[in-house]
Short mmCIF file of all heavy atoms in Angstrom, two decimals:
data_model
loop_
_atom_site.label_atom_id
_atom_site.label_comp_id
_atom_site.label_asym_id
_atom_site.label_seq_id
_atom_site.Cartn_x
_atom_site.Cartn_y
_atom_site.Cartn_z
N GLU U 1 168.16 -208.32 -124.68
CA GLU U 1 169.01 -209.41 -124.24
C GLU U 1 169.49 -209.12 -122.83
O GLU U 1 169.97 -208.05 -122.54
CB GLU U 1 170.23 -209.54 -125.15
CG GLU U 1 169.89 -210.04 -126.52
CD GLU U 1 171.13 -210.19 -127.39
OE1 GLU U 1 172.19 -210.56 -126.87
OE2 GLU U 1 171.00 -209.92 -128.57
N GLY U 2 169.38 -210.08 -121.96
CA GLY U 2 169.91 -209.94 -120.62
C GLY U 2 171.28 -210.55 -120.52
O GLY U 2 171.69 -211.34 -121.36
N ILE U 3 171.98 -210.17 -119.50
CA ILE U 3 173.30 -210.74 -119.26
C ILE U 3 173.21 -211.58 -118.00
O ILE U 3 172.71 -211.13 -116.98
CB ILE U 3 174.37 -209.65 -119.11
CG1 ILE U 3 174.55 -208.91 -120.43
CG2 ILE U 3 175.69 -210.24 -118.64
CD1 ILE U 3 175.58 -207.82 -120.39
N ILE U 4 173.69 -212.80 -118.08
CA ILE U 4 173.71 -213.69 -116.93
C ILE U 4 175.00 -213.43 -116.17
O ILE U 4 176.07 -213.31 -116.77
CB ILE U 4 173.65 -215.15 -117.38
CG1 ILE U 4 172.31 -215.40 -118.04
CG2 ILE U 4 173.88 -216.10 -116.22
CD1 ILE U 4 172.21 -216.73 -118.70
N GLU U 5 174.92 -213.32 -114.86
CA GLU U 5 176.12 -213.11 -114.06
C GLU U 5 176.63 -214.44 -113.53
O GLU U 5 175.86 -215.26 -113.04
CB GLU U 5 175.83 -212.17 -112.89
CG GLU U 5 175.52 -210.77 -113.34
CD GLU U 5 175.27 -209.83 -112.18
OE1 GLU U 5 175.06 -210.29 -111.05
OE2 GLU U 5 175.30 -208.64 -112.43
N VAL U 6 177.92 -214.64 -113.64
CA VAL U 6 178.57 -215.85 -113.15
C VAL U 6 179.66 -215.41 -112.18
O VAL U 6 180.48 -214.56 -112.51
CB VAL U 6 179.19 -216.67 -114.30
CG1 VAL U 6 179.85 -217.92 -113.78
CG2 VAL U 6 178.14 -217.02 -115.34
N LEU U 7 179.68 -215.97 -110.98
CA LEU U 7 180.70 -215.61 -110.01
C LEU U 7 182.02 -216.27 -110.37
O LEU U 7 182.07 -217.45 -110.70
CB LEU U 7 180.28 -216.04 -108.60
CG LEU U 7 179.04 -215.36 -108.05
CD1 LEU U 7 178.69 -215.94 -106.68
CD2 LEU U 7 179.25 -213.86 -107.93
N LEU U 8 183.10 -215.49 -110.29
CA LEU U 8 184.43 -216.01 -110.59
C LEU U 8 184.96 -216.71 -109.35
O LEU U 8 185.13 -216.12 -108.30
CB LEU U 8 185.37 -214.88 -110.99
CG LEU U 8 186.80 -215.28 -111.32
CD1 LEU U 8 186.81 -216.14 -112.59
CD2 LEU U 8 187.67 -214.06 -111.52
N SER U 9 185.17 -218.00 -109.45
CA SER U 9 185.83 -218.72 -108.38
C SER U 9 187.27 -218.86 -108.84
O SER U 9 187.99 -217.88 -108.90
CB SER U 9 185.15 -220.07 -108.11
OG SER U 9 184.97 -220.78 -109.31
N LEU U 10 187.72 -220.03 -109.19
CA LEU U 10 189.06 -220.18 -109.74
C LEU U 10 189.04 -220.01 -111.24
O LEU U 10 189.94 -219.45 -111.83
CB LEU U 10 189.65 -221.54 -109.36
CG LEU U 10 189.86 -221.76 -107.88
CD1 LEU U 10 190.34 -223.18 -107.63
CD2 LEU U 10 190.86 -220.76 -107.34
N ARG U 11 187.98 -220.52 -111.86
CA ARG U 11 187.83 -220.39 -113.31
C ARG U 11 186.37 -220.68 -113.66
O ARG U 11 185.67 -221.37 -112.93
CB ARG U 11 188.76 -221.34 -114.04
CG ARG U 11 188.53 -222.77 -113.66
CD ARG U 11 189.56 -223.67 -114.26
NE ARG U 11 189.28 -225.02 -113.77
CZ ARG U 11 190.18 -225.93 -113.60
NH1 ARG U 11 191.42 -225.68 -113.87
NH2 ARG U 11 189.85 -227.11 -113.16
N VAL U 12 185.94 -220.16 -114.77
CA VAL U 12 184.57 -220.35 -115.22
C VAL U 12 184.60 -221.23 -116.46
O VAL U 12 185.40 -221.00 -117.36
CB VAL U 12 183.90 -219.00 -115.53
CG1 VAL U 12 182.53 -219.21 -116.14
CG2 VAL U 12 183.79 -218.15 -114.27
N ASN U 13 183.74 -222.22 -116.48
CA ASN U 13 183.64 -223.09 -117.65
C ASN U 13 182.16 -223.34 -117.97
O ASN U 13 181.29 -222.71 -117.38
CB ASN U 13 184.41 -224.40 -117.43
CG ASN U 13 183.94 -225.18 -116.23
OD1 ASN U 13 182.77 -225.10 -115.86
ND2 ASN U 13 184.81 -225.93 -115.61
N ALA U 14 181.88 -224.24 -118.87
CA ALA U 14 180.51 -224.50 -119.32
C ALA U 14 179.61 -224.95 -118.18
O ALA U 14 178.41 -224.64 -118.17
CB ALA U 14 180.52 -225.53 -120.44
N LEU U 15 180.15 -225.66 -117.20
CA LEU U 15 179.32 -226.13 -116.08
C LEU U 15 178.76 -224.95 -115.28
O LEU U 15 177.58 -224.93 -114.95
CB LEU U 15 180.15 -227.06 -115.18
CG LEU U 15 179.42 -227.61 -113.96
CD1 LEU U 15 178.20 -228.43 -114.38
CD2 LEU U 15 180.36 -228.44 -113.12
N GLN U 16 179.59 -223.97 -114.98
CA GLN U 16 179.11 -222.81 -114.23
C GLN U 16 178.08 -222.01 -115.04
O GLN U 16 177.14 -221.47 -114.48
CB GLN U 16 180.28 -221.89 -113.83
CG GLN U 16 181.09 -222.41 -112.67
CD GLN U 16 182.14 -223.42 -113.08
OE1 GLN U 16 182.49 -223.53 -114.24
NE2 GLN U 16 182.65 -224.16 -112.12
N ILE U 17 178.27 -221.95 -116.35
CA ILE U 17 177.31 -221.24 -117.19
C ILE U 17 175.98 -221.98 -117.22
O ILE U 17 174.92 -221.38 -117.10
CB ILE U 17 177.87 -221.04 -118.61
CG1 ILE U 17 179.10 -220.13 -118.53
CG2 ILE U 17 176.82 -220.45 -119.55
CD1 ILE U 17 179.92 -220.09 -119.78
N ALA U 18 176.02 -223.30 -117.32
CA ALA U 18 174.80 -224.11 -117.29
C ALA U 18 174.07 -223.93 -115.96
O ALA U 18 172.84 -223.82 -115.93
CB ALA U 18 175.12 -225.58 -117.53
N ASP U 19 174.82 -223.88 -114.85
CA ASP U 19 174.21 -223.65 -113.54
C ASP U 19 173.54 -222.29 -113.46
O ASP U 19 172.44 -222.15 -112.93
CB ASP U 19 175.26 -223.79 -112.43
CG ASP U 19 175.69 -225.21 -112.19
OD1 ASP U 19 174.98 -226.15 -112.64
OD2 ASP U 19 176.75 -225.41 -111.55
N ALA U 20 174.22 -221.26 -113.99
CA ALA U 20 173.65 -219.91 -113.97
C ALA U 20 172.39 -219.84 -114.84
O ALA U 20 171.40 -219.21 -114.45
CB ALA U 20 174.68 -218.89 -114.46
N LEU U 21 172.40 -220.49 -115.98
CA LEU U 21 171.22 -220.52 -116.84
C LEU U 21 170.05 -221.22 -116.14
O LEU U 21 168.91 -220.77 -116.22
CB LEU U 21 171.53 -221.22 -118.16
CG LEU U 21 172.38 -220.44 -119.16
CD1 LEU U 21 172.84 -221.35 -120.30
CD2 LEU U 21 171.59 -219.26 -119.70
N SER U 22 170.34 -222.32 -115.44
CA SER U 22 169.27 -223.07 -114.77
C SER U 22 168.60 -222.23 -113.68
O SER U 22 167.41 -222.39 -113.43
CB SER U 22 169.79 -224.38 -114.20
OG SER U 22 170.62 -224.16 -113.08
N LYS U 23 169.34 -221.32 -113.06
CA LYS U 23 168.75 -220.42 -112.05
C LYS U 23 167.74 -219.46 -112.68
O LYS U 23 166.93 -218.87 -111.99
CB LYS U 23 169.84 -219.65 -111.33
CG LYS U 23 170.69 -220.54 -110.44
CD LYS U 23 171.80 -219.77 -109.78
CE LYS U 23 172.68 -220.73 -108.97
NZ LYS U 23 173.84 -220.06 -108.41
N HIS U 24 167.82 -219.29 -114.00
CA HIS U 24 166.89 -218.44 -114.74
C HIS U 24 165.85 -219.28 -115.49
O HIS U 24 165.17 -218.78 -116.38
CB HIS U 24 167.65 -217.54 -115.72
CG HIS U 24 168.48 -216.52 -115.03
ND1 HIS U 24 167.98 -215.32 -114.60
CD2 HIS U 24 169.79 -216.52 -114.67
CE1 HIS U 24 168.93 -214.63 -114.02
NE2 HIS U 24 170.05 -215.33 -114.05
N GLY U 25 165.78 -220.58 -115.15
CA GLY U 25 164.77 -221.45 -115.75
C GLY U 25 165.13 -222.02 -117.10
O GLY U 25 164.27 -222.57 -117.78
N VAL U 26 166.38 -221.89 -117.52
CA VAL U 26 166.83 -222.41 -118.81
C VAL U 26 167.74 -223.60 -118.55
O VAL U 26 168.83 -223.45 -118.01
CB VAL U 26 167.58 -221.33 -119.63
CG1 VAL U 26 168.05 -221.90 -120.95
CG2 VAL U 26 166.70 -220.11 -119.82
N ILE U 27 167.28 -224.79 -118.91
CA ILE U 27 168.05 -226.00 -118.68
C ILE U 27 168.81 -226.36 -119.96
O ILE U 27 168.19 -226.59 -120.99
CB ILE U 27 167.14 -227.17 -118.25
CG1 ILE U 27 166.27 -226.77 -117.06
CG2 ILE U 27 167.97 -228.41 -117.95
CD1 ILE U 27 167.03 -226.29 -115.83
N VAL U 28 170.13 -226.38 -119.87
CA VAL U 28 170.99 -226.68 -121.02
C VAL U 28 172.08 -227.65 -120.56
O VAL U 28 172.69 -227.45 -119.52
CB VAL U 28 171.64 -225.40 -121.57
CG1 VAL U 28 172.58 -225.71 -122.72
CG2 VAL U 28 170.60 -224.39 -122.01
N ASP U 29 172.31 -228.68 -121.34
CA ASP U 29 173.40 -229.60 -121.08
C ASP U 29 174.71 -228.86 -121.26
O ASP U 29 174.93 -228.21 -122.28
CB ASP U 29 173.32 -230.78 -122.06
CG ASP U 29 174.37 -231.84 -121.83
OD1 ASP U 29 175.33 -231.60 -121.08
OD2 ASP U 29 174.23 -232.93 -122.41
N ARG U 30 175.59 -228.96 -120.30
CA ARG U 30 176.87 -228.24 -120.36
C ARG U 30 177.69 -228.60 -121.59
O ARG U 30 178.47 -227.79 -122.07
CB ARG U 30 177.69 -228.46 -119.10
CG ARG U 30 178.18 -229.90 -118.95
CD ARG U 30 179.06 -230.07 -117.72
NE ARG U 30 179.46 -231.44 -117.56
CZ ARG U 30 180.48 -232.01 -118.19
NH1 ARG U 30 181.21 -231.30 -119.00
NH2 ARG U 30 180.77 -233.27 -117.98
N LYS U 31 177.48 -229.80 -122.11
CA LYS U 31 178.23 -230.24 -123.29
C LYS U 31 177.80 -229.49 -124.55
O LYS U 31 178.49 -229.54 -125.56
CB LYS U 31 178.05 -231.74 -123.49
CG LYS U 31 178.64 -232.56 -122.37
CD LYS U 31 178.35 -234.02 -122.55
CE LYS U 31 178.82 -234.81 -121.33
NZ LYS U 31 178.39 -236.20 -121.39
N LYS U 32 176.67 -228.80 -124.47
CA LYS U 32 176.18 -228.05 -125.63
C LYS U 32 176.59 -226.58 -125.57
O LYS U 32 176.23 -225.80 -126.45
CB LYS U 32 174.67 -228.18 -125.74
CG LYS U 32 174.26 -229.62 -125.99
CD LYS U 32 172.80 -229.74 -126.23
CE LYS U 32 172.47 -231.20 -126.46
NZ LYS U 32 171.74 -231.42 -127.67
N ILE U 33 177.34 -226.20 -124.54
CA ILE U 33 177.79 -224.82 -124.38
C ILE U 33 179.24 -224.73 -124.83
O ILE U 33 180.09 -225.48 -124.33
CB ILE U 33 177.66 -224.37 -122.91
CG1 ILE U 33 176.19 -224.43 -122.47
CG2 ILE U 33 178.23 -222.97 -122.73
CD1 ILE U 33 175.97 -224.19 -121.00
N HIS U 34 179.51 -223.83 -125.75
CA HIS U 34 180.86 -223.69 -126.28
C HIS U 34 181.40 -222.29 -126.03
O HIS U 34 180.74 -221.30 -126.33
CB HIS U 34 180.87 -224.00 -127.78
CG HIS U 34 180.45 -225.40 -128.07
ND1 HIS U 34 181.29 -226.47 -127.95
CD2 HIS U 34 179.24 -225.90 -128.44
CE1 HIS U 34 180.64 -227.58 -128.25
NE2 HIS U 34 179.39 -227.26 -128.54
N LEU U 35 182.61 -222.25 -125.47
CA LEU U 35 183.31 -221.00 -125.21
C LEU U 35 184.51 -220.89 -126.15
O LEU U 35 185.00 -221.89 -126.66
CB LEU U 35 183.81 -220.97 -123.76
CG LEU U 35 182.75 -221.15 -122.68
CD1 LEU U 35 183.41 -221.40 -121.34
CD2 LEU U 35 181.87 -219.93 -122.63
N ASP U 36 184.98 -219.66 -126.34
CA ASP U 36 186.18 -219.47 -127.16
C ASP U 36 187.41 -220.10 -126.51
O ASP U 36 188.36 -220.46 -127.18
CB ASP U 36 186.45 -217.98 -127.39
CG ASP U 36 185.43 -217.37 -128.33
OD1 ASP U 36 184.81 -218.12 -129.12
OD2 ASP U 36 185.25 -216.15 -128.29
N THR U 37 187.37 -220.20 -125.20
CA THR U 37 188.47 -220.78 -124.45
C THR U 37 187.90 -221.82 -123.49
O THR U 37 186.73 -221.76 -123.14
CB THR U 37 189.25 -219.69 -123.69
OG1 THR U 37 190.32 -220.28 -122.97
CG2 THR U 37 188.36 -218.95 -122.72
N GLU U 38 188.70 -222.77 -123.05
CA GLU U 38 188.20 -223.83 -122.18
C GLU U 38 187.77 -223.29 -120.81
O GLU U 38 186.76 -223.69 -120.26
CB GLU U 38 189.27 -224.90 -122.00
CG GLU U 38 188.77 -226.12 -121.26
CD GLU U 38 189.80 -227.23 -121.19
OE1 GLU U 38 190.75 -227.22 -122.00
OE2 GLU U 38 189.67 -228.08 -120.32
N HIS U 39 188.58 -222.39 -120.26
CA HIS U 39 188.29 -221.81 -118.95
C HIS U 39 188.47 -220.30 -119.02
O HIS U 39 189.41 -219.82 -119.64
CB HIS U 39 189.22 -222.34 -117.87
CG HIS U 39 189.14 -223.81 -117.68
ND1 HIS U 39 188.07 -224.42 -117.08
CD2 HIS U 39 189.98 -224.80 -118.03
CE1 HIS U 39 188.28 -225.73 -117.05
NE2 HIS U 39 189.42 -225.98 -117.64
N ILE U 40 187.60 -219.57 -118.36
CA ILE U 40 187.72 -218.12 -118.28
C ILE U 40 188.28 -217.80 -116.91
O ILE U 40 187.76 -218.27 -115.89
CB ILE U 40 186.35 -217.46 -118.49
CG1 ILE U 40 185.89 -217.74 -119.92
CG2 ILE U 40 186.42 -215.97 -118.20
CD1 ILE U 40 184.48 -217.33 -120.19
N LYS U 41 189.34 -217.02 -116.87
CA LYS U 41 190.03 -216.73 -115.61
C LYS U 41 190.03 -215.25 -115.26
O LYS U 41 190.66 -214.85 -114.31
CB LYS U 41 191.47 -217.22 -115.71
CG LYS U 41 191.59 -218.70 -115.97
CD LYS U 41 193.02 -219.11 -116.15
CE LYS U 41 193.13 -220.57 -116.54
NZ LYS U 41 194.49 -220.99 -116.78
N SER U 42 189.29 -214.43 -116.03
CA SER U 42 189.28 -212.99 -115.80
C SER U 42 187.86 -212.47 -115.71
O SER U 42 186.94 -213.02 -116.32
CB SER U 42 189.98 -212.27 -116.95
OG SER U 42 191.30 -212.71 -117.10
N LEU U 43 187.69 -211.38 -114.95
CA LEU U 43 186.40 -210.72 -114.88
C LEU U 43 186.10 -210.08 -116.22
O LEU U 43 187.00 -209.73 -116.97
CB LEU U 43 186.44 -209.64 -113.79
CG LEU U 43 186.76 -210.11 -112.37
CD1 LEU U 43 186.84 -208.91 -111.45
CD2 LEU U 43 185.75 -211.11 -111.88
N GLY U 44 184.82 -209.95 -116.54
CA GLY U 44 184.45 -209.28 -117.78
C GLY U 44 183.20 -209.87 -118.39
O GLY U 44 182.56 -210.75 -117.82
N THR U 45 182.85 -209.38 -119.58
CA THR U 45 181.68 -209.82 -120.31
C THR U 45 182.11 -210.73 -121.45
O THR U 45 183.06 -210.41 -122.17
CB THR U 45 180.90 -208.61 -120.85
OG1 THR U 45 180.54 -207.77 -119.75
CG2 THR U 45 179.64 -209.04 -121.58
N TYR U 46 181.41 -211.84 -121.60
CA TYR U 46 181.77 -212.86 -122.59
C TYR U 46 180.51 -213.34 -123.31
O TYR U 46 179.40 -213.07 -122.87
CB TYR U 46 182.44 -214.06 -121.91
CG TYR U 46 183.72 -213.71 -121.21
CD1 TYR U 46 183.71 -213.31 -119.88
CD2 TYR U 46 184.94 -213.78 -121.88
CE1 TYR U 46 184.89 -212.98 -119.23
CE2 TYR U 46 186.12 -213.46 -121.24
CZ TYR U 46 186.09 -213.07 -119.92
OH TYR U 46 187.26 -212.74 -119.28
N THR U 47 180.72 -214.09 -124.38
CA THR U 47 179.62 -214.70 -125.12
C THR U 47 179.91 -216.19 -125.29
O THR U 47 181.03 -216.57 -125.63
CB THR U 47 179.46 -214.05 -126.51
OG1 THR U 47 179.21 -212.66 -126.33
CG2 THR U 47 178.30 -214.67 -127.27
N ALA U 48 178.91 -217.01 -125.03
CA ALA U 48 179.00 -218.44 -125.26
C ALA U 48 177.99 -218.81 -126.35
O ALA U 48 176.98 -218.12 -126.52
CB ALA U 48 178.68 -219.22 -123.99
N VAL U 49 178.27 -219.87 -127.07
CA VAL U 49 177.34 -220.37 -128.08
C VAL U 49 176.75 -221.67 -127.55
O VAL U 49 177.48 -222.56 -127.11
CB VAL U 49 178.05 -220.60 -129.43
CG1 VAL U 49 177.09 -221.22 -130.43
CG2 VAL U 49 178.63 -219.30 -129.96
N VAL U 50 175.42 -221.77 -127.59
CA VAL U 50 174.72 -222.96 -127.12
C VAL U 50 174.10 -223.65 -128.33
O VAL U 50 173.35 -223.04 -129.09
CB VAL U 50 173.61 -222.59 -126.11
CG1 VAL U 50 172.89 -223.84 -125.63
CG2 VAL U 50 174.19 -221.82 -124.94
N ASN U 51 174.45 -224.92 -128.53
CA ASN U 51 173.87 -225.71 -129.61
C ASN U 51 172.56 -226.30 -129.12
O ASN U 51 172.54 -227.26 -128.35
CB ASN U 51 174.83 -226.83 -130.02
CG ASN U 51 176.07 -226.30 -130.68
OD1 ASN U 51 176.01 -225.33 -131.43
ND2 ASN U 51 177.20 -226.90 -130.39
N LEU U 52 171.46 -225.72 -129.55
CA LEU U 52 170.15 -226.16 -129.11
C LEU U 52 169.63 -227.33 -129.94
O LEU U 52 168.88 -228.17 -129.46
CB LEU U 52 169.16 -225.00 -129.19
CG LEU U 52 169.52 -223.78 -128.33
CD1 LEU U 52 168.58 -222.64 -128.63
CD2 LEU U 52 169.48 -224.16 -126.86
N HIS U 53 170.04 -227.37 -131.19
CA HIS U 53 169.63 -228.40 -132.13
C HIS U 53 170.66 -228.42 -133.24
O HIS U 53 171.50 -227.53 -133.32
CB HIS U 53 168.23 -228.05 -132.67
CG HIS U 53 167.61 -229.11 -133.50
ND1 HIS U 53 167.76 -229.16 -134.87
CD2 HIS U 53 166.82 -230.17 -133.17
CE1 HIS U 53 167.09 -230.20 -135.33
NE2 HIS U 53 166.52 -230.84 -134.33
N LYS U 54 170.59 -229.40 -134.10
CA LYS U 54 171.57 -229.54 -135.19
C LYS U 54 171.80 -228.23 -135.94
O LYS U 54 172.93 -227.84 -136.19
CB LYS U 54 171.11 -230.63 -136.16
CG LYS U 54 172.04 -230.84 -137.32
CD LYS U 54 171.50 -231.91 -138.24
CE LYS U 54 172.35 -232.00 -139.49
NZ LYS U 54 171.79 -232.91 -140.47
N ASP U 55 170.73 -227.54 -136.28
CA ASP U 55 170.83 -226.31 -137.06
C ASP U 55 170.47 -225.05 -136.26
O ASP U 55 170.30 -223.99 -136.85
CB ASP U 55 169.93 -226.40 -138.29
CG ASP U 55 170.36 -227.51 -139.23
OD1 ASP U 55 171.58 -227.72 -139.38
OD2 ASP U 55 169.47 -228.18 -139.80
N VAL U 56 170.32 -225.18 -134.95
CA VAL U 56 169.89 -224.04 -134.13
C VAL U 56 170.94 -223.77 -133.06
O VAL U 56 171.23 -224.62 -132.22
CB VAL U 56 168.52 -224.31 -133.46
CG1 VAL U 56 168.10 -223.12 -132.62
CG2 VAL U 56 167.47 -224.65 -134.50
N LYS U 57 171.50 -222.55 -133.10
CA LYS U 57 172.48 -222.12 -132.11
C LYS U 57 172.01 -220.80 -131.53
O LYS U 57 171.39 -220.00 -132.20
CB LYS U 57 173.85 -221.96 -132.75
CG LYS U 57 174.42 -223.25 -133.26
CD LYS U 57 175.78 -223.05 -133.87
CE LYS U 57 176.26 -224.39 -134.41
NZ LYS U 57 177.61 -224.31 -134.94
N ALA U 58 172.33 -220.60 -130.25
CA ALA U 58 171.98 -219.34 -129.59
C ALA U 58 173.22 -218.77 -128.93
O ALA U 58 174.05 -219.52 -128.40
CB ALA U 58 170.90 -219.58 -128.55
N LYS U 59 173.34 -217.46 -128.97
CA LYS U 59 174.42 -216.79 -128.27
C LYS U 59 173.92 -216.36 -126.91
O LYS U 59 172.82 -215.81 -126.79
CB LYS U 59 174.92 -215.58 -129.05
CG LYS U 59 175.66 -215.97 -130.31
CD LYS U 59 176.22 -214.73 -130.98
CE LYS U 59 177.00 -215.15 -132.24
NZ LYS U 59 177.55 -213.97 -132.92
N VAL U 60 174.73 -216.62 -125.88
CA VAL U 60 174.38 -216.23 -124.52
C VAL U 60 175.47 -215.30 -124.02
O VAL U 60 176.64 -215.66 -123.98
CB VAL U 60 174.29 -217.47 -123.59
CG1 VAL U 60 174.03 -217.05 -122.16
CG2 VAL U 60 173.22 -218.43 -124.08
N ASN U 61 175.06 -214.08 -123.66
CA ASN U 61 176.00 -213.13 -123.08
C ASN U 61 176.02 -213.33 -121.58
O ASN U 61 174.96 -213.51 -120.95
CB ASN U 61 175.58 -211.69 -123.40
CG ASN U 61 175.61 -211.41 -124.87
OD1 ASN U 61 176.52 -211.84 -125.56
ND2 ASN U 61 174.61 -210.71 -125.37
N PHE U 62 177.20 -213.31 -121.00
CA PHE U 62 177.30 -213.45 -119.56
C PHE U 62 178.44 -212.60 -119.04
O PHE U 62 179.37 -212.26 -119.76
CB PHE U 62 177.45 -214.91 -119.12
CG PHE U 62 178.71 -215.58 -119.60
CD1 PHE U 62 179.83 -215.66 -118.79
CD2 PHE U 62 178.77 -216.14 -120.88
CE1 PHE U 62 180.98 -216.28 -119.25
CE2 PHE U 62 179.91 -216.76 -121.32
CZ PHE U 62 181.03 -216.83 -120.50
N GLU U 63 178.32 -212.22 -117.77
CA GLU U 63 179.33 -211.39 -117.13
C GLU U 63 179.93 -212.17 -115.98
O GLU U 63 179.20 -212.72 -115.15
CB GLU U 63 178.71 -210.09 -116.64
CG GLU U 63 179.73 -209.16 -116.03
CD GLU U 63 179.12 -207.80 -115.70
OE1 GLU U 63 177.91 -207.58 -115.94
OE2 GLU U 63 179.87 -206.97 -115.18
N VAL U 64 181.24 -212.21 -115.92
CA VAL U 64 181.94 -212.86 -114.82
C VAL U 64 182.25 -211.78 -113.80
O VAL U 64 182.89 -210.78 -114.11
CB VAL U 64 183.24 -213.54 -115.31
CG1 VAL U 64 183.98 -214.17 -114.14
CG2 VAL U 64 182.92 -214.60 -116.37
N ILE U 65 181.74 -211.98 -112.57
CA ILE U 65 181.93 -211.00 -111.50
C ILE U 65 182.66 -211.65 -110.34
O ILE U 65 182.69 -212.87 -110.22
CB ILE U 65 180.58 -210.43 -111.04
CG1 ILE U 65 179.67 -211.53 -110.52
CG2 ILE U 65 179.89 -209.68 -112.18
CD1 ILE U 65 178.37 -211.04 -109.91
N ALA U 66 183.24 -210.83 -109.48
CA ALA U 66 183.97 -211.34 -108.32
C ALA U 66 183.00 -211.89 -107.28
O ALA U 66 181.87 -211.42 -107.15
CB ALA U 66 184.81 -210.23 -107.70
N GLU U 67 183.44 -212.89 -106.53
CA GLU U 67 182.60 -213.48 -105.46
C GLU U 67 182.50 -212.52 -104.31
O GLU U 67 183.36 -211.82 -103.97
CB GLU U 67 183.22 -214.77 -104.96
CG GLU U 67 183.01 -215.92 -105.91
CD GLU U 67 183.40 -217.25 -105.30
OE1 GLU U 67 184.60 -217.50 -105.15
OE2 GLU U 67 182.50 -218.02 -105.00
#
């Protein structure tokens, strides 16, 4: 499993994660990405759940790093 890096601006949300995934060739609608919290405001490693289909979910690990 790889970890996707997301730059911390003011806060990280599903849109930034979708953008980071697209840079790796994975296109996901931001509305299908679920975080434990609405916005991430701290550096660190996190996990998001992506609803790919009604019965199919994937966990995506990502790291929030400073700009």
Side-chain angles (χ1 to χ4, degrees):
E1 290 181 35
I3 294 180
I4 295 171
E5 293 182 345
V6 180
L7 296 177
L8 180 66
S9 50
L10 296 176
R11 58 187 177 209
V12 173
N13 58 30
L15 179 60
Q16 283 84 17
I17 296 168
D19 287 344
L21 286 169
S22 71
K23 291 178 184 174
H24 292 276
V26 179
I27 307 303
V28 177
D29 183 347
R30 67 177 177 84
K31 295 175 186 172
K32 296 185 181 233
I33 299 172
H34 298 280
L35 303 168
D36 289 337
T37 180
E38 188 175 340
H39 300 287
I40 295 171
K41 300 176 185 177
S42 302
L43 301 176
T45 302
Y46 298 90
T47 301
V49 176
V50 180
N51 292 322
L52 300 172
H53 188 268
K54 179 181 173 186
D55 297 322
V56 180
K57 295 180 182 184
K59 290 185 179 180
V60 176
N61 296 319
F62 63 97
E63 183 173 0
V64 178
I65 60 173
E67 284 190 288

